[in-house]
Amino acid sequence: MEEKKESKGLISWLEKRINLFELFSIISSFGLFYSELDSKKPLKEAIKEVLEKKVPPYARWPQILGIITILLFFFQVLTGILLAFYYVPSINESYERVKFIIRDTDFGWFIHQIHFWGSNFLIIILIIRVMRFFYHGVYKSPRELLWIFGIALLVLSVIQAFLGGILLMDENKFWSSIRSIEIIKNIPVLNWIYLFFLGGYDINQQTIIRAYFFHVTLLPILFLFFLYLNISGIRKLGLSEIPWETKKRKEIPFYPHHFFNLLILLFIIFGVLVTFAVLFPTPFYKPADPSFTPPGILPGWYFLPIYGFFELFFKIIPKLILGFICILIFSLILFLPFIDRKEVRTFKERILAIFIGVIFLILIGLFTFFGIHKEISLSITNIF
Amino acid sequence: MTEKRRNFLEILAKGFISLWGVGIIWILFSYIKTPKRKFEENLIKIDDVSSIPITGSSIYHYKDKSIILIRKEEKEFLAFSAICTHLKCILNYQKEREVLVCPCHAGVFDMNGNVVSGPPPKSLQRYRVDIRGNRLYVYFD
């Protein structure tokens, strides 16, 4: 209790000297507070008001995914800063520096693993989030932009994972990145963008410096920007109701109920990350030898469906057309809110849309399978 | 009774959270702190440099490293790894041509450590030299 009094005193002391309202409104834009502060009142009262305000029970299924994205991004930024303490983007030195981080620093391996698993979970969570947006029809008017921001976040996190893989320079990640680059090479438009930003399809000094620069500065800022757009959009429009849930949910006060829900969520995410980092560490192999391709290396798992798609069809259909099909599908997904403009959101009225979605998911799963088991897809293509 | 129990639970929860906090902060600090430079292990100390003649050279072995120290002028010293980057032979200094030559396969390095001719794939590692009076230190950073 005494601590609280002190901190309150400190807040009012600070309030006279700096503009705390601005600070708190920034925090609220990134999802910590759920309503705007009343700038006419003293900050202490305004915060108390915000804390006591009833919020819909956010931290429950299925609206939980946005806040998980924020927390995971926070973990990624933190561990990324820590890794940048020792990393050097250089074709000759990178491997040694990563080895130094993993082997010679205290807990370096742990931070590296958390960064690796955090990036994978971020992609998985964002995929699930996009899937839920589709299933609950969240992309319908007036939330079209939320869908696009969601896709943008997903694409950014995939790019981040890909660029981060280039930086390691061990055998596995190096060749897996080369595989990913080969996929990018086959997709029109995307390969122009890739060439514009990274220069060439091989991995050299220039690639590493540029990949590092984008990985640590430009793309996190872009991610943060889209996160801000996403959350401010949710603040404006309110949380999307689940269309077939008739019963209204109980509202809970922000503090302590919701706050502690968030805290529990933070601990669960951290626990899951630690568990995976310790039990399923990503291996770090010997340095990459650009003149020797080890057998059986796959691209990053997020590229596997496209990889399988190409493996299955490249003998029958020209690669350019396959690439254009990929671009077409991506644009269909991206502009879905402007294609499916009916305002119905209940399950029964959207059976066709759900059906198409399920078929799409099955196809993705199938292509991933063919991407992993190359020999099966090869034996199938040999039939033709 | 219930109040006591609630107090106990609250203390327990706070204790757990602060334990986590301490653990995380400990991990962060032990990772961030600058790794200690082990100076004693990372340098060769040569007590009397007057034993090397001007335009002469000398080879020193230290753990898995070998170093060739070249005296160009009275106070100008160069230190290179004496191990050829090709097949790990020990290099010789040729003062007439001012180059390092590998006796095994005739690889030649210039006075910047770069490959002039022959099979070596990489240039030589050059080391920092510090002269203090008659003493000389070669640092491996």
Side-chain angles (χ1 to χ4, degrees), chain A residues 82-83 85-86 100-101 105-108 110-111 263 267 270-271, chain B residues 14 16-17 20-21 24 26-28 30-35 122:
Chain A
L82 289 173
L83 291 172
F85 268 86
Y86 296 111
F100 176 79
I101 292 172
T105 57
D106 292 340
F107 298 105
F110 179 71
I111 286 156
L263 208 63
F267 275 82
F270 190 65
Chain B
K14 279 179 183 170
F16 267 122
I17 289 172
W20 273 76
I24 289 168
W26 183 56
I27 286 178
L28 292 192
S30 54
Y31 173 77
I32 291 172
K33 74 164 194 300
T34 321
K122 278 200 286 186

Side-chain angles (χ1 to χ4, degrees), chain A residues 216-338:
Chain A
V216 301
T217 56
L218 219 57
L219 290 171
I221 291 169
L222 256 180
F223 195 95
L224 208 60
F225 177 66
F226 277 108
L227 214 53
Y228 167 74
L229 285 178
N230 201 326
I231 288 159
S232 62
I234 294 169
R235 291 280 175 284
K236 191 167 172 72
L237 299 168
L239 207 64
S240 66
E241 300 276 324
I242 295 167
W244 46 87
E245 201 174 78
T246 46
K247 188 170 68 179
K248 280 238 164 184
R249 288 193 188 182
K250 233 193 217 171
E251 295 198 321
I252 53 169
F254 177 80
Y255 189 88
H257 294 67
H258 184 63
F259 179 75
F260 276 101
N261 281 349
L262 283 183
L263 208 63
I264 290 166
L265 189 66
L266 182 74
F267 275 82
I268 290 174
I269 290 171
F270 190 65
V272 169
L273 281 179
V274 172
T275 311
F276 274 80
V278 174
L279 294 185
F280 313 105
T282 170
F284 185 65
Y285 292 102
K286 61 179 193 237
D289 179 2
S291 54
F292 169 69
T293 316
I297 284 198
L298 296 170
W301 62 267
Y302 30 83
F303 283 129
L304 275 177
I306 310 176
Y307 184 65
F309 180 63
F310 273 96
E311 286 296 317
L312 209 56
F313 290 121
F314 79 103
K315 278 193 180 169
I316 324 160
I317 307 169
K319 277 185 176 174
L320 192 71
I321 293 172
L322 291 179
F324 269 115
I325 291 172
C326 291
I327 287 289
L328 184 74
I329 290 170
F330 178 74
S331 349
L332 280 179
I333 295 170
L334 184 64
F335 296 114
L336 179 71
F338 304 103

Side-chain angles (χ1 to χ4, degrees), chain B residues 50-141:
Chain B
S50 57
S51 62
I52 309 170
I54 292 172
T55 72
S57 67
S58 179
I59 288 179
Y60 298 90
H61 301 285
Y62 178 76
K63 285 192 178 169
D64 58 335
K65 288 193 171 83
S66 293
I67 282 178
I68 183 157
L69 192 66
I70 301 160
R71 187 173 199 176
K72 290 196 78 179
E73 278 161 39
E74 174 65 35
K75 291 245 165 189
E76 194 185 340
F77 287 87
L78 295 171
F80 292 103
S81 162
I83 300 167
C84 181
T85 52
H86 177 220
L87 286 173
K88 299 185 176 177
C89 298
I90 297 290
L91 300 168
N92 296 325
Y93 178 59
Q94 281 191 4
K95 55 185 167 188
E96 300 82 26
R97 292 162 64 199
E98 289 202 341
V99 286
L100 291 163
V101 180
C102 177
C104 299
H105 305 96
V108 180
F109 299 89
D110 68 4
M111 284 297 100
N112 291 317
N114 296 322
V115 183
V116 177
S117 66
K122 278 200 286 186
S123 50
L124 285 179
Q125 170 96 42
R126 189 176 165 177
Y127 298 110
R128 193 157 59 84
V129 177
D130 192 8
I131 313 162
R132 290 177 196 165
N134 215 17
R135 272 191 186 167
L136 191 137
Y137 300 86
V138 181
Y139 294 93
F140 323 111
D141 290 325

